[in-house]
């Protein structure tokens, strides 16, 4: 069985929102109709998005790190939003595990959004149906698109390759390997929803530098030996550069 | 959660309609078993019509909650998994049973129209009413379970939710039946219904207070740490991905001033439980229709505040992702 999913590398994401805008661009132009936008250039703008990048500050000043956190539907393997739907509009595709909403059956009762702990579902204020990430289901199987681009729009747009896309049930896929080798984790595992999307954690990058690597003991000119020269006090390179 | 008045009125109106039918059927059982004088039928017809009207008004209110009311018929299809779908089936079924029961009283039919001669008055309405009782309790269960089955909302995910919907709906229906009976019927019936209304209101006060105590002691299962998967004791949101509001900030917060939110608890405890009891007791002693009517109106108003607080108090874990607009 296939379970398509996104794996998002929080170590690489720079919070540029390219995934947000490319998602909005692709999905507002699709056959399912536009994604609402109200007052986009005015006070109190609001609209429907499948994907949002949030920003968190971790630690206490001055030792803080900024974590950019893209969030979209996680396509849970046990999606709590599906069984509560009274009309069957919300469903999980058996063939690839994508959780979708049938916009022609949805009555806009918002009950599924209550049953999602991640806040992944948003009611479109104009079409009055529930909307959420489709993993670009209208793109990834489209054979008129070059094979290399048959990926969700957000994955194609990411300039740092922080977003991986693939089948997490295939142990040899790029996403499975990333989850396995880089400690990929799901969100809110305490609820047992088994999200398909995983996140790769921040990684500490350390280089061990030994003293003899900084100072070449065999340097015949001994120019790198600080103790033999007075430190130069004066203009820095930036100060004297005139171009 | 955002308290939507469509859902507030849906649950209050159908609760009162169901409770009224329970009260009428109970009095019919008592009368047919010889414990009371048989009412002349005006109470049952008027009460039955009022009960169906309340259920229908609740159903109408629910349509205002839907984005696409014209597709509402589809909601009956997923009864295998969805409590909302089950409620959508149980509500018209309860209306049908109550309406049939009322018609049986209005026309005066008994089981002899089916060729069965039980020699008991009201036998047909007793049979229809028994089915109505089953469906009425099923409807209470469905309505409560819609909220109790969402495990993410800890304030709702308790059997107390179902119990409170049942007891508060029944209490308001019995208070209404007491007022009706005082207007249309004799003192004996009114006293019995009034005693039931007081007992249900008192029990409802206890269970609702129990749920408030429970909810005050809840520890959230999710944290910002588990929400974004970063193990650090100090995490602050700086941007939620939108420069202003979104569906997520509108649907899952009550947006009321803290002062109003806190005072609502006292308001609903007084209006739903204390004031009706304070009016029902002298009402029974003086057999005063005006006092019963006042108790009924105050209790229904109190239930609006109670239901508002029920929604407002529920804290959804998705709010962890929507704490700060930048």
């Amino acid at each position: 069985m296939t379970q398509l999913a996104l794996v998002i590398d929080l170590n690489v994401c720079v919070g540029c929102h390219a995934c947000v805008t490319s998602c909005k661009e692709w999905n507002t132009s699709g056959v399912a109709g536009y994604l609402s936008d109200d007052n986009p250039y005015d006070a109190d703008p609001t609209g429907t998005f499948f994907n949002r990048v949030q920003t968190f500050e971790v630690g206490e000043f001055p030792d803080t790190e900024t974590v950019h956190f893209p969030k979209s539907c996680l396509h849970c393997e046990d999606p709590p939003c599906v069984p509560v739907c009274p009309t069957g509009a919300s469903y999980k595709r058996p063939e690839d595990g994508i959780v979708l909403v049938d916009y022609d059956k949805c009555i806009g009762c918002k009950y599924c959004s209550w049953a999602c702990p991640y806040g992944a579902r948003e009611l479109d204020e104009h079409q009055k149906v529930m909307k959420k990430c489709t993993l670009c289901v209208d793109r990834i199987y489209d054979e008129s698109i070059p094979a290399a681009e048959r990926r969700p729009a957000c994955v194609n747009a990411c300039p740092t390759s922080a977003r991986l896309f693939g089948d997490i049930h295939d142990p040899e896929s790029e996403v499975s390997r990333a989850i396995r080798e880089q400690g990929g984790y799901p969100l809110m595992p305490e609820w047992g929803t088994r999200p398909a999307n995983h996140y790769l954690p921040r990684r500490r990058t350390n280089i061990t530098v030994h003293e003899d690597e900084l100072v070449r003991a065999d340097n015949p000119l001994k120019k790198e030996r600080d103790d033999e020269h007075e430190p130069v006090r004066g203009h820095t390179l930036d100060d004297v550069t005139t171009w | 959660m955002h308290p939507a008045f469509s859902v507030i009125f849906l649950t209050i109106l159908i609760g009162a309609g169901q409770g009224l039918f329970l009260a009428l059927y109970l009095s019919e059982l008592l009368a047919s078993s010889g414990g009371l004088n048989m009412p002349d039928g005006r109470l049952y017809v008027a009460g039955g019509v009022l009960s169906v009207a309340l259920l229908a008004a609740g159903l109408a209110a629910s349509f205002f909650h839907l984005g696409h009311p014209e597709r509402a018929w589809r909601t009956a299809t997923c009864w295998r998994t969805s409590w909302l779908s089950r409620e959508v089936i149980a509500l018209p079924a309860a209306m049908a049973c109550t309406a049939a029961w009322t018609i049986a009283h209005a026309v005066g039919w008994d089981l002899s129209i089916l060729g069965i001669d039980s020699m008991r008055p009201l036998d047909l309405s007793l049979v229809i009413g028994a089915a109505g009782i089953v469906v009425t309790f099923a409807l209470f269960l469905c309505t409560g379970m819609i909220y109790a089955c969402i495990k993410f909302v800890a304030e709702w995910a308790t059997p107390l939710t179902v119990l409170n919907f049942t007891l508060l709906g029944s209490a308001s229906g019995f208070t209404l039946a007491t007022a009706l009976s005082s207007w249309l019927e004799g003192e004996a019936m009114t006293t019995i219904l009034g005693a039931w209304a007081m007992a249900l209101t008192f029990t409802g006060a206890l269970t609702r207070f129990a749920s408030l105590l429970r909810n005050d002691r809840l520890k959230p299962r999710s944290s910002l740490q588990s929400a974004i998967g970063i193990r650090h004791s100090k995490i602050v949101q700086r941007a939620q991905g939108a420069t202003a509001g979104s569906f997520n900030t509108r649907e899952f917060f009550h947006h009321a001033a803290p002062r109003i939110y806190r005072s609502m608890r006292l308001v609903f405890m007084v209006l739903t439980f204390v004031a009706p009891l304070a009016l029902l007791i002298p009402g029974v002693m003086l057999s005063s229709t005006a006092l019963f009517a006042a108790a009924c109106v105050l209790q229904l108003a109190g239930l609006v505040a109670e239901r508002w607080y029920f929604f407002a108090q529920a804290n959804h874990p998705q709010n962890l992702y929507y704490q700060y607009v930048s």
Side-chain angles (χ1 to χ4, degrees):
Chain A
M1 207 180 82
T2 308
Q3 172 64 63
L4 296 180
L6 295 171
V7 171
I8 296 162
D9 193 343
L10 297 184
N11 197 51
V12 176
C13 176
V14 292
C16 71
H17 292 249
C19 53
V20 178
T21 50
S22 63
C23 165
K24 182 95 175 178
E25 189 277 332
W26 175 264
N27 286 296
T28 204
S29 325
V31 287
Y34 62 94
L35 302 182
S36 291
D37 255 327
D38 289 310
N39 308 325
Y41 305 107
D42 216 331
D44 206 20
T46 186
T48 307
F49 286 79
F50 291 174
N51 179 33
R52 294 183 188 268
V53 176
Q54 308 190 321
T55 301
F56 295 88
E57 190 177 274
V58 181
E60 203 153 359
F61 181 82
D63 299 319
T64 52
E65 271 197 58
T66 303
V67 176
H68 299 293
F69 175 80
K71 180 170 78 75
S72 55
C73 171
L74 306 171
H75 300 277
C76 298
E77 300 206 41
D78 192 2
C81 53
V82 168
V84 300
C85 177
T87 67
S90 200
Y91 62 105
K92 186 172 176 70
R93 299 198 343 159
E95 65 267 33
D96 53 16
I98 301 180
V99 178
L100 287 177
V101 180
D102 185 337
Y103 300 144
D104 294 328
K105 281 189 185 170
C106 178
I107 56 166
C109 70
K110 305 174 212 164
Y111 194 33
C112 57
S113 73
W114 297 2
C116 170
Y118 307 104
R121 292 170 161 261
E122 299 187 14
L123 186 86
D124 192 294
E125 295 294 347
H126 293 280
Q127 295 177 22
K128 296 288 180 192
V129 292
M130 198 51 78
K131 295 195 170 177
K132 58 178 279 303
C133 163
T134 65
L135 277 182
C136 286
V137 70
D138 52 347
R139 179 180 176 92
I140 56 178
Y141 296 113
D142 187 348
E143 296 190 353
S144 67
I145 294 173
E149 291 174 24
R150 281 179 220 154
R151 303 183 300 178
C154 58
V155 178
N156 283 330
C158 182
T160 60
S161 300
R163 304 173 76 91
L164 309 175
F165 169 68
D167 174 16
I168 59 161
H169 282 182
D170 171 10
E172 291 313 312
S173 68
E174 183 191 22
V175 283
S176 294
R177 215 172 297 130
I179 292 169
R180 203 163 55 228
E181 293 170 3
Q182 297 179 52
Y185 62 85
L187 304 182
M188 293 187 185
E190 61 271 20
W191 296 114
T193 54
R194 296 195 296 142
N197 282 13
H198 282 67
Y199 287 79
L200 304 182
R202 282 300 183 93
R203 290 182 290 281
R204 184 184 286 275
T205 37
N206 280 338
I207 311 175
T208 309
V209 181
H210 298 288
E211 186 72 14
D212 60 334
E213 290 169 332
L214 290 174
V215 179
R216 283 189 290 169
D218 58 346
N219 186 347
L221 297 174
K222 302 198 172 182
K223 277 195 171 167
E224 292 171 354
R225 294 277 298 275
D226 284 348
D227 52 309
E228 293 187 8
H229 297 274
E230 282 295 309
V232 179
R233 306 245 181 249
H235 303 296
T236 66
L237 184 61
D238 287 338
D239 294 329
V240 298
T241 305
T242 53
W243 66 83
Chain B
M1 305 290 287
H2 165 68
F5 279 104
S6 51
V7 182
I8 290 175
F9 284 114
L10 159 71
T11 53
I12 292 171
L13 292 172
I14 66 171
Q18 289 164 269
L20 178 56
F21 177 70
L22 292 182
L24 297 175
Y25 189 71
L26 179 80
S27 75
E28 188 187 20
L29 271 184
L30 289 175
S32 72
S33 63
L36 274 173
N37 286 335
M38 186 60 68
D40 65 2
R42 278 190 309 160
L43 172 66
Y44 293 151
V45 175
V49 168
L50 185 57
S51 172
V52 175
L54 285 167
L55 293 169
L59 183 62
S62 76
F63 277 90
F64 289 97
H65 188 67
L66 303 183
H68 282 279
E70 77 282 5
R71 301 178 186 164
W73 61 273
R74 288 185 183 276
T75 50
T77 54
C78 286
W79 51 272
R80 285 182 192 82
T81 59
S82 172
W83 282 105
L84 181 52
S85 184
R86 288 168 200 162
E87 187 195 38
V88 166
I89 296 169
L91 177 48
M95 286 170 70
C97 288
T98 310
W101 180 86
T102 311
I103 290 167
H105 274 291
V107 182
W109 280 339
D110 53 32
L111 279 177
S112 62
I113 60 164
L114 300 173
I116 305 167
D117 194 3
S118 69
M119 305 296 284
R120 285 168 68 103
L122 298 176
D123 52 3
L124 179 63
S125 67
L126 280 174
V127 172
I128 296 173
I133 291 298
V134 172
V135 178
T136 296
F137 276 109
L139 180 54
F140 273 132
L141 178 70
C142 292
T143 310
M145 281 308 289
I146 286 176
Y147 306 96
C149 79
I150 299 180
K151 59 183 174 181
F152 311 110
V153 183
E155 287 83 356
W156 295 349
T158 161
L160 280 173
T161 301
V162 180
L163 195 59
N164 283 329
F165 270 94
T166 309
L167 283 172
L168 300 192
S170 301
S172 63
F174 270 81
T175 310
L176 189 53
T178 310
L180 264 187
S181 162
S182 166
W183 180 38
L184 297 171
E185 273 299 321
E187 200 176 325
M189 177 78 82
T190 308
T191 307
I192 289 183
L193 287 174
W196 273 83
M198 284 186 269
L200 285 166
T201 302
F202 184 69
T203 320
L206 290 184
T207 56
R208 190 65 180 98
F209 192 65
S211 80
L212 288 178
L213 280 183
R214 171 190 177 272
N215 291 350
D216 285 345
R217 282 159 182 70
L218 285 174
K219 295 263 187 297
R221 202 157 149 195
S222 289
S223 61
L224 206 44
Q225 281 74 17
S226 78
I228 65 171
I230 288 175
R231 302 281 173 264
H232 195 288
S233 57
K234 195 162 174 67
I235 306 177
V236 187
Q237 185 168 44
R238 287 296 174 212
Q240 59 171 242
T243 42
S246 62
F247 173 76
N248 303 77
T249 59
R250 289 189 291 270
E251 180 68 10
F252 297 92
F253 292 91
H254 56 75
H255 294 291
R259 193 166 39 84
I260 292 179
Y261 170 72
R262 279 195 304 273
S263 62
M264 203 58 90
R265 172 186 286 221
L266 186 67
V267 168
F268 90 69
M269 286 302 269
V270 169
L271 282 180
T272 315
F273 306 116
V274 180
L277 280 175
L279 290 170
L280 281 168
I281 294 167
V284 168
M285 290 192 295
L286 306 170
S287 59
S288 151
T289 309
L291 285 179
F292 291 133
C296 186
V297 170
L298 284 183
Q299 191 162 44
L300 288 173
L303 280 173
V304 176
E306 189 275 335
R307 228 29 65 84
W308 185 93
Y309 192 81
F310 171 78
F311 284 100
Q313 194 189 27
N315 186 22
H316 199 283
Q318 78 103 40
N319 291 353
L320 290 168
Y321 295 107
Y322 295 91
Q323 312 221 332
Y324 192 90
V325 179
S326 80

